[in-house]
Amino acid sequence: MGKIIIQNREYSFEQIKNQQWSEPDLYFHQALTFCHLWLTDVQDFELSTSGSTGEPKTITVFRQQMEKSAAGTRAFFEIERGSNLLCCLNVWMIAGKMMLVRGLEWDATIYLVQPKENPLLDIPDFISFDFVAMVPMQVTACLNETSTLDKVKNIKTLIIGGAPSSPSLLQKITDFKLNAYQTYGMTETVSHIALAKITQEALTYTCLPEVKVGTDGEGKLWIESPTAREKRLYTNDIVKILNDSQFEWIGRSDFTINSGGIKLQPEILEPLMASTVEKIYGLCNFFLIGKEDEKLGEKMVLVLEQPLKNESQAQDLLNELKTVMNRYHIPREILIATSFMKTASGKINRPATLKKAR
């Protein structure tokens, strides 16, 4: 029988099933309450979608979907029962809940910590993990902190989701030889349905067992998965299908910018200009987005997370981009937002950020 460890307190799954715990902190209390419901065979759960491209919505997810997701991940990585897991994601969202479900289904030891930028800071050096899920921001923080670098390098299997990893993070992961995978999934598929090993090569996503993929007439991905309620789930993601179980992700169709008849895909262009942005502004968050334009219909603008706008610096960046980018791929305007708006799951809310950018 597995257990959950919170700081120096341990609760066996049997104790959690019988509600034998005392956790005044609301976050830990709600996490253990979810585990109690799972262990007492509750069959359906209400979850909130991330709201990355629209308003968040509440959906009902059935126990069988979550069980199949956990089983698919275990089969993909051949994870042994009784492994050590770290749950450092928000347990109110699907990613955090699925880490708890995996641990419960795998009879694992689950180390439960508050979701924060560097979740390994308070983990003792002698503890190592077999399986961990993080968002890109957390992996970056762990790699940049001397005291946690070895800890993250010692993780047997690390999966990264919630948002695409930046080119600089992907490079660090390969430099440090982490056994890390970028995930593809959504709340409607109950966490990931495909994983891509992070290497020097382009990310190739391989589906979990029993998952099939294809595209519609516009090149948008459809998914057939035992973890989804729909027989065939249609997405807004543009992909390149390699075979019935592998694909390359290109970007979201709802992020596509139609500028004077030229279609521009931000997720393709952002990595290409990342090193140039860093050269002028240093490491900072940025994204490309379409802004209404009377002549072009939409114009592509670059939004940077910066405290102040410096016109000279912005012009320097545009001049540098002109030397490395196709002229159609250069932003028509550079905007500054002091802080990026985020969705409930921590993703950048591009439309909301654009509204406050100047």
Side-chain angles (χ1 to χ4, degrees), residues 33-288:
T33 298
F34 171 80
C35 293
H36 163 74
L37 295 174
W38 185 267
L39 291 167
T40 52
D41 210 32
V42 169
Q43 292 298 306
D44 55 81
F45 302 87
E46 286 193 347
L47 298 175
S48 175
T49 61
S50 65
S52 56
T53 59
E55 289 298 318
K57 59 183 178 181
T58 299
I59 65 172
T60 299
V61 173
F62 297 116
R63 181 188 188 91
Q64 187 179 46
Q65 294 174 260
M66 302 170 90
E67 288 174 336
K68 288 181 177 178
S69 176
T73 299
R74 185 177 176 219
F76 188 96
F77 291 113
E78 300 181 344
I79 295 171
E80 297 180 2
R81 302 189 80 81
S83 296
N84 277 1
L85 274 60
L86 174 66
C87 179
C88 58
L89 299 173
N90 188 343
V91 298
W92 294 323
M93 307 299 289
I94 185 61
K97 277 187 168 61
M98 279 309 304
M99 278 304 297
L100 295 176
V101 170
R102 292 174 192 126
L104 294 167
E105 288 292 291
W106 303 346
D107 285 331
T109 295
I110 308 169
Y111 290 80
L112 179 61
V113 301
Q114 291 270 11
K116 57 183 180 180
E117 188 170 355
N118 190 331
L120 297 179
L121 277 175
D122 298 325
I123 300 294
D125 292 342
F126 62 86
I127 297 174
S128 60
F129 297 105
D130 298 297
F131 186 85
V132 179
M134 292 186 186
V135 296
M137 177 186 70
Q138 291 176 317
V139 182
T140 299
C142 292
L143 290 173
N144 289 343
E145 175 67 42
T146 304
S147 65
T148 57
L149 177 57
D150 284 341
K151 294 178 186 178
V152 72
K153 287 167 68 176
N154 287 333
I155 294 173
K156 188 174 179 181
T157 299
L158 172 65
I159 64 172
I160 306 169
S165 297
S166 67
S168 60
L169 176 56
L170 294 174
Q171 187 60 54
K172 280 188 176 182
I173 288 169
T174 56
D175 289 345
F176 287 119
K177 297 180 172 60
L178 303 187
N179 184 39
Y181 293 75
Q182 184 77 39
T183 69
Y184 176 86
M186 59 201 74
T187 305
E188 291 85 349
T189 59
V190 189
S191 189
H192 54 260
I193 54 91
L195 300 121
K197 178 72 183 288
I198 297 174
T199 66
Q200 292 285 5
E201 307 301 322
L203 292 176
T204 298
Y205 288 88
T206 299
C207 295
L208 295 185
E210 299 182 56
V211 174
K212 292 183 179 180
V213 292
T215 55
D216 64 11
E218 297 179 330
K220 292 188 287 188
L221 177 72
W222 56 253
I223 301 163
E224 293 180 354
S225 170
T227 64
R229 294 180 65 176
E230 300 89 343
K231 176 176 173 55
R232 177 172 287 186
L233 178 65
Y234 291 89
T235 77
N236 285 323
D237 290 297
I238 299 172
V239 301
K240 176 183 178 182
I241 296 293
L242 304 179
N243 52 59
D244 62 0
S245 64
Q246 288 187 310
F247 63 91
E248 293 178 1
W249 183 79
I250 296 173
R252 291 191 62 90
S253 63
D254 42 0
F255 287 167
T256 301
I257 302 164
N258 189 335
S259 184
I262 298 173
K263 292 187 177 181
L264 306 168
Q265 199 66 45
E267 295 95 337
I268 293 177
L269 299 177
E270 287 162 0
L272 298 178
M273 62 177 62
S275 61
T276 307
V277 172
E278 184 178 346
K279 178 180 177 181
I280 304 297
Y281 284 91
L283 283 173
C284 70
N285 290 321
F286 73 92
F287 63 84
L288 296 167

